[in-house]
Amino acid sequence: MTAHTSLPRRAAAELIGTAGLLVVVIGSGLQAAELSRDTGVALIANSLASAIGLGLIITLFGPLSGAHLNPVVTLTSWWARRTGGEGLGGREAFVYTVAQTAGAISGALLAETMFGRVPGTFSTQVRDGGHLLIGEVVATAGLVLVIQGLGRIGRPRLIPAAVAAYIAAAIWFTSSGSFANPAGTIGRSFSDSFTGIAPESLPGFVAAQLIGGILGLALAALLYGKGNGSGSGNGGASRTAKPVPVETAVPSSVPETGLADGASPTKAAYEPVG
Protein backbone atom coordinates (compact mmCIF):
# COMPACT_ATOMS: atom_id res chain seq x y z
CA MET A 1 0.00 0.00 0.00
CA THR A 2 1.25 3.46 -0.83
CA ALA A 3 1.52 6.22 1.73
CA HIS A 4 -1.13 8.23 -0.13
CA THR A 5 -4.18 6.16 0.76
CA SER A 6 -7.39 8.00 -0.07
CA LEU A 7 -9.73 9.15 2.68
CA PRO A 8 -12.58 6.83 1.55
CA ARG A 9 -10.24 3.85 1.75
CA ARG A 10 -8.97 4.93 5.16
CA ALA A 11 -12.54 5.38 6.36
CA ALA A 12 -13.39 1.91 5.11
CA ALA A 13 -10.41 0.52 7.03
CA GLU A 14 -11.60 2.25 10.20
CA LEU A 15 -15.16 0.96 9.73
CA ILE A 16 -14.11 -2.63 9.03
CA GLY A 17 -11.42 -2.64 11.69
CA THR A 18 -13.76 -1.32 14.38
CA ALA A 19 -16.47 -3.77 13.31
CA GLY A 20 -13.95 -6.59 13.61
CA LEU A 21 -12.95 -5.41 17.07
CA LEU A 22 -16.56 -5.48 18.29
CA VAL A 23 -17.10 -8.93 16.77
CA VAL A 24 -14.10 -10.16 18.76
CA VAL A 25 -15.09 -8.48 22.03
CA ILE A 26 -18.77 -9.40 21.98
CA GLY A 27 -18.40 -12.74 20.22
CA SER A 28 -15.75 -13.99 22.62
CA GLY A 29 -17.89 -12.83 25.53
CA LEU A 30 -20.91 -14.72 24.26
CA GLN A 31 -18.86 -17.85 23.60
CA ALA A 32 -17.21 -17.69 27.02
CA ALA A 33 -20.56 -17.28 28.76
CA GLU A 34 -21.92 -20.32 26.92
CA LEU A 35 -18.94 -22.51 27.83
CA SER A 36 -18.52 -21.55 31.47
CA ARG A 37 -20.78 -20.45 34.30
CA ASP A 38 -17.75 -19.09 36.12
CA THR A 39 -17.60 -15.33 35.53
CA GLY A 40 -13.86 -15.23 36.21
CA VAL A 41 -13.13 -17.91 33.62
CA ALA A 42 -15.36 -16.15 31.11
CA LEU A 43 -13.58 -12.85 31.72
CA ILE A 44 -10.16 -14.46 31.24
CA ALA A 45 -11.27 -15.88 27.90
CA ASN A 46 -12.85 -12.60 26.84
CA SER A 47 -9.84 -10.47 27.80
CA LEU A 48 -7.35 -12.76 26.04
CA ALA A 49 -9.42 -12.97 22.86
CA SER A 50 -9.99 -9.21 22.88
CA ALA A 51 -6.28 -8.47 23.29
CA ILE A 52 -5.19 -10.90 20.58
CA GLY A 53 -7.86 -9.67 18.18
CA LEU A 54 -6.99 -6.03 18.81
CA GLY A 55 -3.30 -6.62 18.18
CA LEU A 56 -4.02 -8.39 14.90
CA ILE A 57 -6.46 -5.71 13.74
CA ILE A 58 -3.96 -2.92 14.45
CA THR A 59 -1.29 -4.89 12.57
CA LEU A 60 -3.57 -5.40 9.56
CA PHE A 61 -5.15 -1.96 9.28
CA GLY A 62 -2.40 0.23 10.71
CA PRO A 63 -0.67 0.72 7.34
CA LEU A 64 -3.96 1.89 5.80
CA SER A 65 -5.54 4.27 8.29
CA GLY A 66 -3.40 4.12 11.41
CA ALA A 67 -5.95 1.73 12.96
CA HIS A 68 -7.34 4.29 15.37
CA LEU A 69 -10.54 2.24 15.90
CA ASN A 70 -11.41 4.75 18.60
CA PRO A 71 -12.68 8.36 18.46
CA VAL A 72 -10.46 9.31 21.41
CA VAL A 73 -7.35 8.29 19.46
CA THR A 74 -8.67 10.17 16.43
CA LEU A 75 -9.31 13.29 18.50
CA THR A 76 -5.74 13.22 19.84
CA SER A 77 -4.55 13.27 16.23
CA TRP A 78 -6.85 16.19 15.42
CA TRP A 79 -5.59 18.07 18.47
CA ALA A 80 -2.00 17.52 17.38
CA ARG A 81 -2.70 19.26 14.11
CA ARG A 82 -4.57 22.06 15.87
CA THR A 83 -1.52 22.70 18.03
CA GLY A 84 0.90 22.90 15.11
CA GLY A 85 1.92 19.27 14.80
CA GLU A 86 1.05 16.54 12.34
CA GLY A 87 -2.26 14.75 12.44
CA LEU A 88 -5.76 14.64 11.03
CA GLY A 89 -7.68 17.65 9.82
CA GLY A 90 -11.18 18.35 11.10
CA ARG A 91 -12.93 16.76 8.13
CA GLU A 92 -10.80 13.63 8.33
CA ALA A 93 -11.38 13.32 12.08
CA PHE A 94 -15.13 13.62 11.56
CA VAL A 95 -15.13 10.95 8.84
CA TYR A 96 -13.01 8.63 11.00
CA THR A 97 -15.34 9.05 13.99
CA VAL A 98 -18.47 8.36 11.94
CA ALA A 99 -16.84 5.30 10.35
CA GLN A 100 -15.73 3.96 13.73
CA THR A 101 -19.19 4.38 15.26
CA ALA A 102 -20.93 2.77 12.30
CA GLY A 103 -18.40 -0.06 12.36
CA ALA A 104 -18.89 -0.66 16.08
CA ILE A 105 -22.66 -0.92 15.75
CA SER A 106 -22.32 -3.19 12.70
CA GLY A 107 -19.86 -5.44 14.51
CA ALA A 108 -22.16 -5.75 17.52
CA LEU A 109 -25.10 -6.71 15.33
CA LEU A 110 -22.99 -9.25 13.44
CA ALA A 111 -21.75 -10.86 16.65
CA GLU A 112 -25.28 -11.18 17.98
CA THR A 113 -26.45 -12.72 14.70
CA MET A 114 -23.58 -15.23 14.65
CA PHE A 115 -24.67 -16.62 17.99
CA GLY A 116 -28.33 -16.97 17.03
CA ARG A 117 -29.48 -13.98 19.04
CA VAL A 118 -31.89 -11.27 17.92
CA PRO A 119 -29.73 -8.41 16.59
CA GLY A 120 -30.60 -4.90 17.67
CA THR A 121 -31.60 -5.78 21.24
CA PHE A 122 -30.31 -3.13 23.60
CA SER A 123 -28.25 -4.11 26.61
CA THR A 124 -29.80 -4.18 30.07
CA GLN A 125 -26.40 -4.04 31.81
CA VAL A 126 -26.66 -0.78 33.73
CA ARG A 127 -23.21 0.48 34.63
CA ASP A 128 -23.41 3.51 36.88
CA GLY A 129 -21.66 4.88 39.91
CA GLY A 130 -18.76 7.25 40.27
CA HIS A 131 -16.24 4.47 40.84
CA LEU A 132 -16.97 3.03 37.39
CA LEU A 133 -16.54 6.43 35.76
CA ILE A 134 -13.21 6.86 37.53
CA GLY A 135 -12.25 3.45 36.13
CA GLU A 136 -13.04 4.67 32.60
CA VAL A 137 -11.01 7.82 33.07
CA VAL A 138 -8.04 5.74 34.23
CA ALA A 139 -8.46 3.15 31.46
CA THR A 140 -8.64 5.73 28.67
CA ALA A 141 -5.85 7.91 30.06
CA GLY A 142 -3.58 4.88 30.25
CA LEU A 143 -4.39 3.85 26.69
CA VAL A 144 -3.60 7.31 25.32
CA LEU A 145 -0.40 7.47 27.37
CA VAL A 146 0.79 4.11 26.00
CA ILE A 147 0.18 5.20 22.41
CA GLN A 148 1.57 8.69 22.87
CA GLY A 149 4.56 7.61 24.92
CA LEU A 150 5.75 4.98 22.47
CA GLY A 151 5.21 7.32 19.55
CA ARG A 152 7.10 10.20 21.12
CA ILE A 153 10.15 8.10 21.95
CA GLY A 154 10.27 6.81 18.38
CA ARG A 155 9.06 3.25 19.03
CA PRO A 156 5.75 3.01 17.13
CA ARG A 157 6.57 -0.57 16.13
CA LEU A 158 5.79 -1.65 19.69
CA ILE A 159 2.32 -0.12 19.73
CA PRO A 160 0.24 -3.10 18.45
CA ALA A 161 1.61 -5.45 21.10
CA ALA A 162 1.68 -2.78 23.82
CA VAL A 163 -1.91 -1.66 23.24
CA ALA A 164 -3.12 -5.26 23.17
CA ALA A 165 -1.29 -6.03 26.41
CA TYR A 166 -2.57 -2.86 28.06
CA ILE A 167 -6.20 -3.61 27.19
CA ALA A 168 -5.88 -7.19 28.47
CA ALA A 169 -4.57 -5.86 31.77
CA ALA A 170 -6.97 -2.91 32.02
CA ILE A 171 -10.00 -5.18 31.62
CA TRP A 172 -8.92 -6.61 34.97
CA PHE A 173 -7.42 -3.71 36.89
CA THR A 174 -10.12 -1.09 36.21
CA SER A 175 -13.50 -1.15 37.93
CA SER A 176 -15.29 -0.41 34.64
CA GLY A 177 -13.76 -3.25 32.64
CA SER A 178 -11.91 -0.79 30.39
CA PHE A 179 -14.29 0.11 27.57
CA ALA A 180 -11.98 3.08 26.81
CA ASN A 181 -13.56 3.71 23.41
CA PRO A 182 -16.67 5.86 22.75
CA ALA A 183 -17.51 4.09 19.48
CA GLY A 184 -16.99 0.67 21.03
CA THR A 185 -19.12 1.67 24.01
CA ILE A 186 -21.99 2.69 21.73
CA GLY A 187 -21.64 -0.56 19.80
CA ARG A 188 -21.70 -2.63 22.98
CA SER A 189 -25.05 -1.08 23.94
CA PHE A 190 -26.49 -3.24 21.12
CA SER A 191 -25.56 -6.48 22.92
CA ASP A 192 -27.51 -7.69 25.94
CA SER A 193 -24.60 -9.74 27.27
CA PHE A 194 -22.03 -9.39 30.02
CA THR A 195 -19.89 -7.31 27.64
CA GLY A 196 -22.76 -4.90 26.99
CA ILE A 197 -23.76 -1.58 28.49
CA ALA A 198 -27.26 -0.15 28.82
CA PRO A 199 -27.98 2.94 26.69
CA GLU A 200 -28.71 5.02 29.80
CA SER A 201 -25.13 4.42 30.95
CA LEU A 202 -23.60 5.73 27.72
CA PRO A 203 -23.40 9.48 28.51
CA GLY A 204 -21.39 8.98 31.68
CA PHE A 205 -19.00 6.47 30.12
CA VAL A 206 -18.38 8.52 26.98
CA ALA A 207 -17.79 11.68 29.04
CA ALA A 208 -15.34 9.79 31.28
CA GLN A 209 -13.49 8.50 28.21
CA LEU A 210 -13.13 11.99 26.77
CA ILE A 211 -11.81 13.25 30.10
CA GLY A 212 -9.41 10.31 30.18
CA GLY A 213 -8.19 11.18 26.70
CA ILE A 214 -7.41 14.74 27.76
CA LEU A 215 -5.64 13.47 30.87
CA GLY A 216 -3.60 11.01 28.80
CA LEU A 217 -2.48 13.80 26.47
CA ALA A 218 -1.51 15.98 29.42
CA LEU A 219 0.51 13.19 30.99
CA ALA A 220 2.27 12.47 27.69
CA ALA A 221 3.18 16.14 27.31
CA LEU A 222 4.41 16.28 30.90
CA LEU A 223 6.56 13.16 30.60
CA TYR A 224 7.76 13.31 26.99
CA GLY A 225 7.30 16.89 25.85
CA LYS A 226 5.27 18.05 22.88
CA GLY A 227 6.92 15.89 20.25
CA ASN A 228 9.77 16.15 17.78
CA GLY A 229 11.36 19.23 16.31
CA SER A 230 8.70 19.46 13.59
CA GLY A 231 6.22 20.50 16.24
CA SER A 232 4.27 17.26 16.36
CA GLY A 233 2.09 17.38 19.43
CA ASN A 234 0.70 13.90 19.09
CA GLY A 235 2.85 10.84 19.30
CA GLY A 236 5.87 12.08 17.41
CA ALA A 237 9.37 11.17 18.40
CA SER A 238 10.91 12.85 21.38
CA ARG A 239 13.09 15.89 20.89
CA THR A 240 16.16 13.74 21.27
CA ALA A 241 15.05 10.68 19.35
CA LYS A 242 14.48 10.63 15.63
CA PRO A 243 11.99 8.07 14.22
CA VAL A 244 13.67 5.43 12.09
CA PRO A 245 11.89 4.34 8.89
CA VAL A 246 11.29 0.61 8.67
CA GLU A 247 11.64 -1.83 5.83
CA THR A 248 8.36 -3.63 6.31
CA ALA A 249 4.88 -2.30 6.89
CA VAL A 250 4.77 -2.21 10.65
CA PRO A 251 1.46 -0.75 11.89
CA SER A 252 0.80 1.82 14.53
CA SER A 253 -2.40 3.11 16.01
CA VAL A 254 -0.69 6.29 17.05
CA PRO A 255 -1.47 9.27 14.83
CA GLU A 256 1.86 10.99 15.10
CA THR A 257 3.24 10.78 11.61
CA GLY A 258 0.44 12.30 9.62
CA LEU A 259 1.21 13.89 6.27
CA ALA A 260 0.29 17.40 5.35
CA ASP A 261 -1.34 16.25 2.10
CA GLY A 262 -4.11 14.46 3.93
CA ALA A 263 -2.66 10.97 3.77
CA SER A 264 -2.84 8.59 6.70
CA PRO A 265 -1.28 10.12 9.82
CA THR A 266 0.83 7.06 10.46
CA LYS A 267 2.18 6.46 7.00
CA ALA A 268 5.69 7.72 7.61
CA ALA A 269 6.20 4.82 9.98
CA TYR A 270 5.70 2.41 7.09
CA GLU A 271 7.80 4.09 4.42
CA PRO A 272 10.56 1.78 3.06
CA VAL A 273 14.15 2.76 3.55
CA GLY A 274 15.64 4.23 0.39
Side-chain angles (χ1 to χ4, degrees), residues 149-160 237 243 256:
L150 289 174
R152 294 183 189 208
I153 63 176
R155 295 184 177 179
R157 289 172 290 182
L158 299 179
I159 288 175
E256 83 280 11

mmCIF file of all heavy atoms in Angstrom, residues 149-160 237 243 256:
data_model
loop_
_atom_site.group_PDB
_atom_site.id
_atom_site.type_symbol
_atom_site.label_atom_id
_atom_site.label_comp_id
_atom_site.label_asym_id
_atom_site.label_seq_id
_atom_site.Cartn_x
_atom_site.Cartn_y
_atom_site.Cartn_z
ATOM 1 N N GLY A 149 3.204 7.801 24.413
ATOM 2 C CA GLY A 149 4.556 7.613 24.923
ATOM 3 C C GLY A 149 5.449 6.871 23.953
ATOM 4 O O GLY A 149 6.572 7.305 23.656
ATOM 5 N N LEU A 150 4.949 5.753 23.413
ATOM 6 C CA LEU A 150 5.752 4.979 22.468
ATOM 7 C C LEU A 150 6.001 5.753 21.180
ATOM 8 O O LEU A 150 7.080 5.662 20.584
ATOM 9 C CB LEU A 150 5.062 3.646 22.165
ATOM 10 C CG LEU A 150 5.073 2.626 23.304
ATOM 11 C CD1 LEU A 150 4.236 1.413 22.947
ATOM 12 C CD2 LEU A 150 6.492 2.207 23.638
ATOM 13 N N GLY A 151 5.014 6.520 20.754
ATOM 14 C CA GLY A 151 5.206 7.318 19.552
ATOM 15 C C GLY A 151 6.238 8.404 19.745
ATOM 16 O O GLY A 151 7.079 8.640 18.891
ATOM 17 N N ARG A 152 6.210 9.054 20.891
ATOM 18 C CA ARG A 152 7.098 10.195 21.125
ATOM 19 C C ARG A 152 8.548 9.784 21.379
ATOM 20 O O ARG A 152 9.450 10.599 21.210
ATOM 21 C CB ARG A 152 6.565 11.038 22.280
ATOM 22 C CG ARG A 152 5.245 11.694 21.937
ATOM 23 C CD ARG A 152 4.739 12.597 23.038
ATOM 24 N NE ARG A 152 3.386 13.030 22.740
ATOM 25 C CZ ARG A 152 2.853 14.172 23.154
ATOM 26 N NH1 ARG A 152 3.573 15.005 23.883
ATOM 27 N NH2 ARG A 152 1.609 14.472 22.854
ATOM 28 N N ILE A 153 8.762 8.546 21.783
ATOM 29 C CA ILE A 153 10.149 8.099 21.952
ATOM 30 C C ILE A 153 10.640 7.348 20.719
ATOM 31 O O ILE A 153 11.699 6.740 20.729
ATOM 32 C CB ILE A 153 10.309 7.219 23.208
ATOM 33 C CG1 ILE A 153 9.487 5.938 23.100
ATOM 34 C CG2 ILE A 153 9.961 8.002 24.455
ATOM 35 C CD1 ILE A 153 9.690 4.979 24.272
ATOM 36 N N GLY A 154 9.843 7.389 19.644
ATOM 37 C CA GLY A 154 10.269 6.805 18.380
ATOM 38 C C GLY A 154 10.171 5.289 18.314
ATOM 39 O O GLY A 154 10.943 4.662 17.601
ATOM 40 N N ARG A 155 9.232 4.703 19.060
ATOM 41 C CA ARG A 155 9.061 3.252 19.030
ATOM 42 C C ARG A 155 7.642 2.841 18.642
ATOM 43 O O ARG A 155 6.991 2.059 19.339
ATOM 44 C CB ARG A 155 9.422 2.662 20.390
ATOM 45 C CG ARG A 155 10.887 2.848 20.747
ATOM 46 C CD ARG A 155 11.242 2.165 22.042
ATOM 47 N NE ARG A 155 12.654 2.287 22.340
ATOM 48 C CZ ARG A 155 13.239 1.789 23.427
ATOM 49 N NH1 ARG A 155 12.508 1.135 24.321
ATOM 50 N NH2 ARG A 155 14.529 1.946 23.627
ATOM 51 N N PRO A 156 7.114 3.348 17.535
ATOM 52 C CA PRO A 156 5.749 3.008 17.125
ATOM 53 C C PRO A 156 5.568 1.538 16.780
ATOM 54 O O PRO A 156 4.447 1.028 16.801
ATOM 55 C CB PRO A 156 5.515 3.902 15.898
ATOM 56 C CG PRO A 156 6.885 4.146 15.359
ATOM 57 C CD PRO A 156 7.774 4.251 16.564
ATOM 58 N N ARG A 157 6.684 0.845 16.465
ATOM 59 C CA ARG A 157 6.573 -0.572 16.125
ATOM 60 C C ARG A 157 6.071 -1.416 17.293
ATOM 61 O O ARG A 157 5.550 -2.516 17.101
ATOM 62 C CB ARG A 157 7.932 -1.094 15.652
ATOM 63 C CG ARG A 157 8.344 -0.560 14.283
ATOM 64 C CD ARG A 157 9.772 -0.945 13.940
ATOM 65 N NE ARG A 157 10.739 -0.232 14.760
ATOM 66 C CZ ARG A 157 12.047 -0.349 14.631
ATOM 67 N NH1 ARG A 157 12.544 -1.168 13.713
ATOM 68 N NH2 ARG A 157 12.865 0.338 15.395
ATOM 69 N N LEU A 158 6.226 -0.905 18.508
ATOM 70 C CA LEU A 158 5.792 -1.649 19.687
ATOM 71 C C LEU A 158 4.319 -1.442 20.005
ATOM 72 O O LEU A 158 3.766 -2.130 20.862
ATOM 73 C CB LEU A 158 6.628 -1.226 20.900
ATOM 74 C CG LEU A 158 8.135 -1.469 20.821
ATOM 75 C CD1 LEU A 158 8.802 -0.958 22.093
ATOM 76 C CD2 LEU A 158 8.433 -2.945 20.615
ATOM 77 N N ILE A 159 3.673 -0.507 19.345
ATOM 78 C CA ILE A 159 2.315 -0.121 19.728
ATOM 79 C C ILE A 159 1.291 -1.251 19.598
ATOM 80 O O ILE A 159 0.486 -1.441 20.513
ATOM 81 C CB ILE A 159 1.876 1.133 18.952
ATOM 82 C CG1 ILE A 159 2.649 2.343 19.496
ATOM 83 C CG2 ILE A 159 0.374 1.370 19.079
ATOM 84 C CD1 ILE A 159 2.416 3.623 18.756
ATOM 85 N N PRO A 160 1.248 -2.031 18.514
ATOM 86 C CA PRO A 160 0.239 -3.096 18.452
ATOM 87 C C PRO A 160 0.291 -4.043 19.647
ATOM 88 O O PRO A 160 -0.733 -4.320 20.286
ATOM 89 C CB PRO A 160 0.578 -3.816 17.140
ATOM 90 C CG PRO A 160 1.218 -2.767 16.302
ATOM 91 C CD PRO A 160 2.023 -1.937 17.258
ATOM 92 N N ALA A 237 8.188 11.552 17.639
ATOM 93 C CA ALA A 237 9.369 11.166 18.397
ATOM 94 C C ALA A 237 9.720 12.249 19.396
ATOM 95 O O ALA A 237 9.326 13.392 19.268
ATOM 96 C CB ALA A 237 10.544 10.948 17.443
ATOM 97 N N PRO A 243 12.596 9.309 14.672
ATOM 98 C CA PRO A 243 11.986 8.066 14.224
ATOM 99 C C PRO A 243 12.800 7.455 13.092
ATOM 100 O O PRO A 243 13.289 8.158 12.209
ATOM 101 C CB PRO A 243 10.597 8.507 13.727
ATOM 102 C CG PRO A 243 10.382 9.867 14.328
ATOM 103 C CD PRO A 243 11.730 10.461 14.506
ATOM 104 N N GLU A 256 0.858 9.952 14.985
ATOM 105 C CA GLU A 256 1.858 10.993 15.097
ATOM 106 C C GLU A 256 2.544 11.343 13.812
ATOM 107 O O GLU A 256 3.232 12.337 13.742
ATOM 108 C CB GLU A 256 2.909 10.600 16.146
ATOM 109 C CG GLU A 256 4.019 9.670 15.646
ATOM 110 C CD GLU A 256 3.565 8.232 15.583
ATOM 111 O OE1 GLU A 256 2.364 7.985 15.721
ATOM 112 O OE2 GLU A 256 4.418 7.363 15.409
#
